[in-house]
Amino acid sequence: MPMSQVEVPLSGLADFQNSIYLQGLGDVVPALPTDLTKLEGLAERALSAQAFGYVAGSAGSESTARANRAAFDKWRIVPRMLRDVAERDLSVEVLGTAMPSPLLLAPIGVQSIFHPDGELAVARAAAAEKVPMVLSTASSYSIEDVAEANGDGPRWYQLYWPKDRDLAVSFLERAKAAGYTALVVTLDTFTLAWRPRDLDQAYLPFLRGIGVANYFSDPVFQKAVGGPITKENRDMAILHWVANFGNPSLTWDDLIFLRDHWDGPIALKGIQHPDDARQAVDAGMDAVIVSNHGGRQVDGAIASLDALPGVVEAVHDQATVLFDSGIRTGADIAKALALGAKAVLVARPYAYGLGLAGQAGVQHVVRCLQAELELTMTLSGIKSLDGLNPDILVRA
Ligand SMILES: Cc1cc2nc3c(=O)[nH]c(=O)nc-3n(C[C@H](O)[C@H](O)[C@H](O)COP(=O)(O)O)c2cc1C
């Protein structure tokens, strides 16, 4: 019997581990490292200095980004033994979307600076792995083109809420028509923060016409600049983007507007304070995403993982709590779920995977995280996501 047909002790998502070792018998080793913390260093060598600075950089002295990672080390898992973990199930449904594991691909803008196929490659990877992708408003390919690349894969849409309300409605209508089933509204980035890596290179991709595909392809946007975007009106279109990108005057009362124009589930991204989480529930939101944008917005801010328990307590089962900012390993996912998140969004690691190996690089990142999560759980005596609760953790 060929080795590949032997029944292995761990099937499921952890089977990725078996396939790596089996390929090794033919002298094939993984093209990318399986310790995903190593991707950043490789990406630094592979990407242009501008693209690398854009993805790896954070706000100010980058202390929030460091705190995001350090917060995971403050919690340790306490493995338990003899608990029959022969059958495991990591699948979950979040906001009406079924997924093989509690993992989504976070919204990341301007992906064509990492790889020419950008969001199209990510959409294909997401569909192949059946993992939901969250498409950014600031994508390098349009809502419709990404949907086509994603096929019948699960997809959500992330809104950067523009000043022009008609433009916001147009984005929502386009996303709905193109099969995006949930709306993520990012609240923490109505303007870009002080980001020294980008400032020192005087690099903002949007001003170069990258990451504005959804705007330039939009009928409302086009009408505002006098017609389809051409060489002649391109600069004016970019200035119109600058004037419209974010709206610092929004308040909680404005959320009614979104409810009126989006009939699917809505998640608010960028929540860190328990009172904001409670206000989200009061406003009838379906979910909050505990996130500090990977430390890219407020330097010196609370680590996202440190904010999670307070938000979970405040929401008290009245809304779904999702988490991002600092996820690099399967163990990180286990800790975030143990502290009350229903699922996590992975971000920079898949952007590095995209930059290093396109669609295959994104799939590699997804498979590594899923396999590592399943192995972490199994070896800790946990066979389903319900088993991930604060009792499995101690403070370091
Ligand atoms: C290059 C880059 C672009 C991003 N673009 C967006 C975006 O368009 N919309 C959004 O809501 N979040 C965006 N984010 C934030 C991510 O969705 C996520 O919150 C953050 O990266 C999590 O931190 P981590 O990557 O360190 O885990 C971006 C992050 C990076 C690194």
Side-chain angles (χ1 to χ4, degrees):
M1 188 194 278
M3 198 85 142
S4 57
Q5 284 173 22
V6 173
E7 199 186 324
V8 285
L10 285 181
S11 55
L13 301 169
D15 194 38
F16 185 49
Q17 183 194 42
N18 302 317
S19 69
I20 290 175
Y21 287 133
L22 285 172
Q23 284 186 349
L25 299 176
D27 286 333
V28 177
V29 298
L32 294 178
T34 51
D35 171 357
L36 301 181
T37 62
K38 298 209 170 114
L39 294 180
E40 182 175 330
L42 291 174
E44 183 165 16
R45 272 171 267 155
L47 297 177
S48 72
Q50 291 173 332
F52 180 73
Y54 188 73
V55 59
S58 288
S61 68
E62 306 192 342
S63 74
T64 305
R66 285 192 297 279
N68 282 341
R69 289 296 300 139
F72 282 94
D73 274 339
K74 290 190 281 181
W75 291 105
R76 314 298 304 174
I77 298 165
V78 188
R80 302 297 302 272
M81 302 298 132
L82 295 174
R83 294 202 157 196
D84 183 2
V85 286
E87 302 279 330
R88 296 160 314 278
D89 183 10
L90 270 64
S91 66
V92 62
E93 190 179 304
V94 182
L95 303 183
T97 302
M99 42 194 94
S101 73
L103 184 158
L104 300 94
L105 300 179
I108 290 188
V110 292
Q111 292 179 13
S112 63
I113 65 173
F114 312 128
H115 188 280
D117 294 341
E119 294 83 0
L120 302 180
V122 172
R124 290 182 194 117
E129 300 298 331
K130 300 185 171 54
V131 165
M133 77 177 291
V134 187
L135 178 71
S136 168
T137 294
S139 53
S140 5
Y141 289 91
S142 71
I143 291 171
E144 294 78 12
D145 288 349
V146 174
E148 197 185 327
N150 189 234
D152 54 13
R155 53 184 173 270
W156 296 4
Y157 177 68
Q158 177 262 321
L159 179 71
Y160 276 135
W161 193 336
K163 269 206 193 88
D164 179 345
R165 297 235 156 178
D166 293 340
L167 181 60
V169 172
S170 183
F171 283 158
L172 298 185
E173 283 173 355
R174 289 171 61 192
K176 194 85 201 165
Y180 297 77
T181 58
L183 179 67
V184 169
V185 185
T186 299
L187 302 179
D188 58 19
T189 310
F190 49 82
T191 190
L192 290 177
W194 187 254
R195 294 184 185 165
R197 293 205 214 192
D198 297 335
L199 290 163
D200 291 349
Q201 301 190 82
Y203 179 66
L204 187 61
F206 310 102
L207 298 188
R208 298 162 191 230
I210 313 168
V212 291
N214 287 325
Y215 300 84
F216 283 17
S217 60
D218 192 277
V220 172
F221 188 92
Q222 289 181 358
K223 199 167 161 217
V225 296
I229 315 306
T230 60
K231 256 198 199 132
E232 281 68 46
N233 66 359
R234 193 169 170 277
D235 288 352
M236 207 239 288
I238 289 173
L239 290 179
H240 188 64
W241 176 87
V242 171
N244 255 288
F245 170 73
N247 184 355
S249 71
L250 290 171
T251 71
W252 290 94
D253 293 337
D254 291 303
L255 293 174
I256 296 167
F257 175 83
L258 290 183
R259 262 285 167 247
D260 287 347
H261 291 93
W262 180 266
D263 58 8
I266 305 179
L268 298 185
K269 179 170 182 275
I271 300 296
Q272 298 276 277
H273 196 293
D275 291 349
D276 282 356
R278 237 170 264 128
Q279 280 194 272
V281 170
D282 292 344
M285 298 293 109
D286 303 275
V288 293
I289 304 179
V290 176
S291 166
N292 59 27
H293 218 99
R296 295 163 72 77
Q297 287 300 91
V298 179
D299 191 25
I302 182 173
S304 198
L305 194 73
D306 288 339
L308 178 60
V311 169
V312 169
E313 202 189 326
V315 163
H316 201 66
D317 288 341
Q318 289 175 286
T320 301
V321 179
L322 305 176
F323 173 86
D324 80 32
S325 297
I327 298 285
R328 300 291 180 272
T329 69
D332 295 342
I333 301 176
K335 290 177 189 178
L337 264 65
L339 292 174
K342 176 111 179 174
V344 302
L345 287 75
V346 60
R348 284 184 173 106
Y350 90 77
Y352 297 137
L354 172 68
L356 290 164
Q359 176 184 343
V362 178
Q363 288 186 240
H364 173 83
V365 167
V366 169
R367 287 180 191 171
C368 285
L369 286 171
Q370 289 182 330
E372 202 182 2
L373 170 62
E374 184 164 351
L375 287 165
T376 302
M377 288 172 57
T378 309
L379 293 167
S380 303
I382 301 160
K383 62 181 171 190
S384 71
L385 300 179
D386 312 342
L388 292 169
N389 57 56
D391 294 346
I392 71 149
L393 299 179
V394 289
R395 277 283 185 186

